[in-house]
Structure formats: structure tokens, C-alpha cells
mmCIF file of all heavy atoms in Angstrom:
data_model
loop_
_atom_site.group_PDB
_atom_site.id
_atom_site.type_symbol
_atom_site.label_atom_id
_atom_site.label_comp_id
_atom_site.label_asym_id
_atom_site.label_seq_id
_atom_site.Cartn_x
_atom_site.Cartn_y
_atom_site.Cartn_z
ATOM 1 N N SER A 128 8.011 16.600 9.438
ATOM 2 C CA SER A 128 9.061 15.653 9.813
ATOM 3 C C SER A 128 8.479 14.243 9.889
ATOM 4 O O SER A 128 7.276 14.055 10.095
ATOM 5 C CB SER A 128 9.656 16.026 11.172
ATOM 6 O OG SER A 128 10.333 17.256 11.119
ATOM 7 N N VAL A 129 9.353 13.268 9.715
ATOM 8 C CA VAL A 129 8.950 11.865 9.866
ATOM 9 C C VAL A 129 9.399 11.399 11.245
ATOM 10 O O VAL A 129 10.507 11.706 11.685
ATOM 11 C CB VAL A 129 9.588 10.990 8.771
ATOM 12 C CG1 VAL A 129 9.311 9.508 9.029
ATOM 13 C CG2 VAL A 129 9.050 11.385 7.395
ATOM 14 N N LEU A 130 8.538 10.704 11.941
ATOM 15 C CA LEU A 130 8.913 10.139 13.225
ATOM 16 C C LEU A 130 8.373 8.725 13.327
ATOM 17 O O LEU A 130 7.426 8.360 12.626
ATOM 18 C CB LEU A 130 8.383 10.979 14.384
ATOM 19 C CG LEU A 130 6.869 11.056 14.598
ATOM 20 C CD1 LEU A 130 6.554 11.331 16.065
ATOM 21 C CD2 LEU A 130 6.246 12.153 13.742
ATOM 22 N N GLY A 131 8.989 7.936 14.182
ATOM 23 C CA GLY A 131 8.506 6.571 14.313
ATOM 24 C C GLY A 131 9.444 5.705 15.117
ATOM 25 O O GLY A 131 10.286 6.183 15.872
ATOM 26 N N ARG A 132 9.305 4.415 14.904
ATOM 27 C CA ARG A 132 10.109 3.406 15.585
ATOM 28 C C ARG A 132 10.323 2.275 14.582
ATOM 29 O O ARG A 132 9.944 2.402 13.422
ATOM 30 C CB ARG A 132 9.393 2.920 16.837
ATOM 31 C CG ARG A 132 7.956 2.467 16.609
ATOM 32 C CD ARG A 132 7.196 2.281 17.916
ATOM 33 N NE ARG A 132 5.859 1.739 17.678
ATOM 34 C CZ ARG A 132 4.826 2.456 17.305
ATOM 35 N NH1 ARG A 132 4.951 3.763 17.113
ATOM 36 N NH2 ARG A 132 3.640 1.897 17.116
ATOM 37 N N ALA A 133 10.916 1.195 15.037
ATOM 38 C CA ALA A 133 11.301 0.127 14.113
ATOM 39 C C ALA A 133 10.141 -0.462 13.332
ATOM 40 O O ALA A 133 10.315 -0.956 12.221
ATOM 41 C CB ALA A 133 12.018 -0.981 14.883
ATOM 42 N N SER A 134 8.930 -0.401 13.894
ATOM 43 C CA SER A 134 7.793 -1.056 13.262
ATOM 44 C C SER A 134 6.795 -0.107 12.595
ATOM 45 O O SER A 134 5.854 -0.568 11.937
ATOM 46 C CB SER A 134 7.037 -1.893 14.303
ATOM 47 O OG SER A 134 6.558 -1.050 15.357
ATOM 48 N N HIS A 135 6.991 1.210 12.745
ATOM 49 C CA HIS A 135 5.960 2.125 12.246
ATOM 50 C C HIS A 135 6.498 3.545 12.097
ATOM 51 O O HIS A 135 7.368 3.960 12.867
ATOM 52 C CB HIS A 135 4.777 2.137 13.224
ATOM 53 C CG HIS A 135 3.526 2.759 12.682
ATOM 54 N ND1 HIS A 135 3.064 2.528 11.412
ATOM 55 C CD2 HIS A 135 2.638 3.614 13.250
ATOM 56 C CE1 HIS A 135 1.936 3.192 11.228
ATOM 57 N NE2 HIS A 135 1.662 3.870 12.327
ATOM 58 N N VAL A 136 5.974 4.278 11.110
ATOM 59 C CA VAL A 136 6.344 5.680 10.922
ATOM 60 C C VAL A 136 5.097 6.541 10.722
ATOM 61 O O VAL A 136 4.048 6.056 10.278
ATOM 62 C CB VAL A 136 7.294 5.892 9.723
ATOM 63 C CG1 VAL A 136 8.701 5.474 10.052
ATOM 64 C CG2 VAL A 136 6.775 5.178 8.475
ATOM 65 N N TYR A 137 5.259 7.829 11.071
ATOM 66 C CA TYR A 137 4.184 8.806 10.950
ATOM 67 C C TYR A 137 4.717 10.069 10.272
ATOM 68 O O TYR A 137 5.923 10.320 10.246
ATOM 69 C CB TYR A 137 3.657 9.248 12.319
ATOM 70 C CG TYR A 137 3.467 8.192 13.371
ATOM 71 C CD1 TYR A 137 4.529 7.763 14.169
ATOM 72 C CD2 TYR A 137 2.199 7.655 13.625
ATOM 73 C CE1 TYR A 137 4.341 6.822 15.176
ATOM 74 C CE2 TYR A 137 2.006 6.715 14.637
ATOM 75 C CZ TYR A 137 3.074 6.308 15.408
ATOM 76 O OH TYR A 137 2.884 5.387 16.406
ATOM 77 N N LEU A 138 3.788 10.904 9.799
ATOM 78 C CA LEU A 138 4.116 12.238 9.318
ATOM 79 C C LEU A 138 3.655 13.225 10.388
ATOM 80 O O LEU A 138 2.473 13.270 10.734
ATOM 81 C CB LEU A 138 3.395 12.504 7.990
ATOM 82 C CG LEU A 138 3.815 13.745 7.193
ATOM 83 C CD1 LEU A 138 5.251 13.583 6.689
ATOM 84 C CD2 LEU A 138 2.873 13.964 6.017
ATOM 85 N N TYR A 139 4.599 13.980 10.904
ATOM 86 C CA TYR A 139 4.332 14.883 12.027
ATOM 87 C C TYR A 139 3.563 16.115 11.567
ATOM 88 O O TYR A 139 3.876 16.712 10.529
ATOM 89 C CB TYR A 139 5.668 15.293 12.636
ATOM 90 C CG TYR A 139 5.610 16.163 13.863
ATOM 91 C CD1 TYR A 139 4.744 15.883 14.917
ATOM 92 C CD2 TYR A 139 6.471 17.261 13.991
ATOM 93 C CE1 TYR A 139 4.725 16.677 16.063
ATOM 94 C CE2 TYR A 139 6.462 18.049 15.128
ATOM 95 C CZ TYR A 139 5.591 17.764 16.162
ATOM 96 O OH TYR A 139 5.580 18.557 17.281
ATOM 97 N N LEU A 140 2.573 16.525 12.352
ATOM 98 C CA LEU A 140 1.760 17.687 12.007
ATOM 99 C C LEU A 140 2.229 18.972 12.690
ATOM 100 O O LEU A 140 1.651 20.035 12.473
ATOM 101 C CB LEU A 140 0.289 17.426 12.339
ATOM 102 C CG LEU A 140 -0.386 16.352 11.476
ATOM 103 C CD1 LEU A 140 -1.823 16.118 11.931
ATOM 104 C CD2 LEU A 140 -0.341 16.736 10.002
ATOM 105 N N GLY A 141 3.268 18.882 13.499
ATOM 106 C CA GLY A 141 3.894 20.089 13.999
ATOM 107 C C GLY A 141 3.758 20.406 15.464
ATOM 108 O O GLY A 141 4.575 21.146 16.017
ATOM 109 N N ILE A 142 2.736 19.882 16.147
ATOM 110 C CA ILE A 142 2.564 20.147 17.577
ATOM 111 C C ILE A 142 1.989 18.918 18.287
ATOM 112 O O ILE A 142 1.291 18.102 17.674
ATOM 113 C CB ILE A 142 1.640 21.356 17.853
ATOM 114 C CG1 ILE A 142 0.205 21.080 17.366
ATOM 115 C CG2 ILE A 142 2.194 22.623 17.228
ATOM 116 C CD1 ILE A 142 -0.806 22.137 17.812
ATOM 117 N N ASP A 143 2.294 18.826 19.569
ATOM 118 C CA ASP A 143 1.611 17.897 20.481
ATOM 119 C C ASP A 143 1.547 16.441 20.022
ATOM 120 O O ASP A 143 0.581 15.737 20.284
ATOM 121 C CB ASP A 143 0.190 18.387 20.752
ATOM 122 C CG ASP A 143 0.160 19.768 21.394
ATOM 123 O OD1 ASP A 143 1.204 20.205 21.914
ATOM 124 O OD2 ASP A 143 -0.906 20.405 21.376
ATOM 125 N N TYR A 144 2.569 15.967 19.320
ATOM 126 C CA TYR A 144 2.618 14.584 18.837
ATOM 127 C C TYR A 144 1.436 14.251 17.923
ATOM 128 O O TYR A 144 1.034 13.086 17.802
ATOM 129 C CB TYR A 144 2.679 13.600 20.001
ATOM 130 C CG TYR A 144 3.999 13.642 20.742
ATOM 131 C CD1 TYR A 144 4.180 14.480 21.841
ATOM 132 C CD2 TYR A 144 5.071 12.853 20.336
ATOM 133 C CE1 TYR A 144 5.399 14.537 22.516
ATOM 134 C CE2 TYR A 144 6.288 12.897 21.008
ATOM 135 C CZ TYR A 144 6.441 13.735 22.093
ATOM 136 O OH TYR A 144 7.647 13.783 22.758
ATOM 137 N N ALA A 145 0.891 15.258 17.276
ATOM 138 C CA ALA A 145 -0.171 15.022 16.294
ATOM 139 C C ALA A 145 0.456 14.537 14.993
ATOM 140 O O ALA A 145 1.473 15.085 14.549
ATOM 141 C CB ALA A 145 -0.964 16.305 16.047
ATOM 142 N N VAL A 146 -0.123 13.511 14.406
ATOM 143 C CA VAL A 146 0.444 12.902 13.205
ATOM 144 C C VAL A 146 -0.666 12.511 12.230
ATOM 145 O O VAL A 146 -1.839 12.405 12.595
ATOM 146 C CB VAL A 146 1.261 11.630 13.542
ATOM 147 C CG1 VAL A 146 2.458 11.965 14.409
ATOM 148 C CG2 VAL A 146 0.379 10.580 14.224
ATOM 149 N N VAL A 147 -0.257 12.303 10.984
ATOM 150 C CA VAL A 147 -1.114 11.649 10.001
ATOM 151 C C VAL A 147 -0.348 10.419 9.539
ATOM 152 O O VAL A 147 0.860 10.474 9.318
ATOM 153 C CB VAL A 147 -1.475 12.584 8.826
ATOM 154 C CG1 VAL A 147 -0.238 13.146 8.138
ATOM 155 C CG2 VAL A 147 -2.358 11.848 7.805
ATOM 156 N N ALA A 148 -1.028 9.284 9.443
ATOM 157 C CA ALA A 148 -0.330 8.035 9.144
ATOM 158 C C ALA A 148 -1.302 6.995 8.613
ATOM 159 O O ALA A 148 -2.516 7.107 8.767
ATOM 160 C CB ALA A 148 0.351 7.499 10.399
ATOM 161 N N SER A 149 -0.714 5.979 7.989
ATOM 162 C CA SER A 149 -1.479 4.787 7.610
ATOM 163 C C SER A 149 -1.195 3.750 8.687
ATOM 164 O O SER A 149 -0.106 3.177 8.734
ATOM 165 C CB SER A 149 -1.044 4.268 6.238
ATOM 166 O OG SER A 149 -1.894 3.228 5.798
ATOM 167 N N PRO A 150 -2.121 3.552 9.617
ATOM 168 C CA PRO A 150 -1.828 2.812 10.841
ATOM 169 C C PRO A 150 -1.700 1.308 10.662
ATOM 170 O O PRO A 150 -2.245 0.726 9.727
ATOM 171 C CB PRO A 150 -3.024 3.137 11.738
ATOM 172 C CG PRO A 150 -4.144 3.346 10.772
ATOM 173 C CD PRO A 150 -3.513 4.024 9.572
ATOM 174 N N LEU A 151 -0.976 0.706 11.601
ATOM 175 C CA LEU A 151 -0.926 -0.745 11.663
ATOM 176 C C LEU A 151 -2.317 -1.270 11.991
ATOM 177 O O LEU A 151 -3.120 -0.591 12.627
ATOM 178 C CB LEU A 151 0.058 -1.186 12.748
ATOM 179 C CG LEU A 151 1.519 -0.766 12.543
ATOM 180 C CD1 LEU A 151 2.327 -1.115 13.788
ATOM 181 C CD2 LEU A 151 2.103 -1.459 11.332
ATOM 182 N N GLY A 152 -2.614 -2.459 11.567
ATOM 183 C CA GLY A 152 -3.910 -3.045 11.880
ATOM 184 C C GLY A 152 -4.863 -3.041 10.706
ATOM 185 O O GLY A 152 -6.010 -3.462 10.828
ATOM 186 N N GLY A 153 -4.388 -2.554 9.552
ATOM 187 C CA GLY A 153 -5.195 -2.655 8.350
ATOM 188 C C GLY A 153 -6.408 -1.760 8.297
ATOM 189 O O GLY A 153 -7.432 -2.140 7.742
ATOM 190 N N ARG A 154 -6.313 -0.546 8.869
ATOM 191 C CA ARG A 154 -7.461 0.353 8.830
ATOM 192 C C ARG A 154 -7.317 1.343 7.683
ATOM 193 O O ARG A 154 -7.156 0.936 6.544
ATOM 194 C CB ARG A 154 -7.620 1.030 10.192
ATOM 195 C CG ARG A 154 -7.974 -0.001 11.273
ATOM 196 C CD ARG A 154 -8.192 0.629 12.625
ATOM 197 N NE ARG A 154 -6.945 1.111 13.195
ATOM 198 C CZ ARG A 154 -6.853 1.679 14.400
ATOM 199 N NH1 ARG A 154 -7.932 1.860 15.130
ATOM 200 N NH2 ARG A 154 -5.690 2.066 14.875
ATOM 201 N N HIS A 155 -7.358 2.648 7.978
ATOM 202 C CA HIS A 155 -7.212 3.615 6.897
ATOM 203 C C HIS A 155 -6.349 4.780 7.359
ATOM 204 O O HIS A 155 -6.137 4.993 8.554
ATOM 205 C CB HIS A 155 -8.578 4.119 6.421
ATOM 206 C CG HIS A 155 -9.366 4.835 7.492
ATOM 207 N ND1 HIS A 155 -10.362 4.215 8.231
ATOM 208 C CD2 HIS A 155 -9.307 6.110 7.960
ATOM 209 C CE1 HIS A 155 -10.877 5.085 9.093
ATOM 210 N NE2 HIS A 155 -10.257 6.240 8.956
ATOM 211 N N VAL A 156 -5.831 5.540 6.397
ATOM 212 C CA VAL A 156 -5.022 6.714 6.703
ATOM 213 C C VAL A 156 -5.853 7.658 7.564
ATOM 214 O O VAL A 156 -6.994 7.979 7.223
ATOM 215 C CB VAL A 156 -4.577 7.428 5.419
ATOM 216 C CG1 VAL A 156 -3.829 8.724 5.767
ATOM 217 C CG2 VAL A 156 -3.699 6.516 4.572
ATOM 218 N N THR A 157 -5.274 8.105 8.675
ATOM 219 C CA THR A 157 -6.021 8.958 9.581
ATOM 220 C C THR A 157 -5.087 9.887 10.342
ATOM 221 O O THR A 157 -3.862 9.758 10.266
ATOM 222 C CB THR A 157 -6.845 8.116 10.570
ATOM 223 O OG1 THR A 157 -7.747 8.966 11.307
ATOM 224 C CG2 THR A 157 -5.946 7.386 11.564
ATOM 225 N N ILE A 158 -5.662 10.822 11.081
ATOM 226 C CA ILE A 158 -4.888 11.692 11.954
ATOM 227 C C ILE A 158 -5.118 11.248 13.393
ATOM 228 O O ILE A 158 -6.200 10.767 13.738
ATOM 229 C CB ILE A 158 -5.246 13.177 11.770
ATOM 230 C CG1 ILE A 158 -6.747 13.423 12.004
ATOM 231 C CG2 ILE A 158 -4.836 13.650 10.392
ATOM 232 C CD1 ILE A 158 -7.143 14.882 11.969
#
């Protein structure tokens, strides 16, 4: 599932608000 807010979105990994995303701040795709 996709989750997020007005400024950012994540890909949900299924439990405990764990996500994979390309984060704000110019870093790298991470979990």
C-alpha cells in the first residue's frame, strides 16, 4: 500500500509502519 501526507509518500512493507521510500532531504532510497 502507499501511505503518506501532502509532502511525502512511502511504500508500506506490511507491519509496524515499516516503509521503503526515497526520503526528503536528498539522500537515498532506504527502509
Side-chain angles (χ1 to χ4, degrees):
S128 294
V129 173
L130 66 153
R132 52 192 185 279
S134 60
H135 194 43
V136 283
Y137 318 84
L138 191 67
Y139 183 46
L140 293 177
I142 64 171
D143 300 343
Y144 290 91
V146 297
V147 56
S149 188
L151 298 172
R154 295 182 289 182
H155 61 262
V156 175
T157 190
I158 57 174

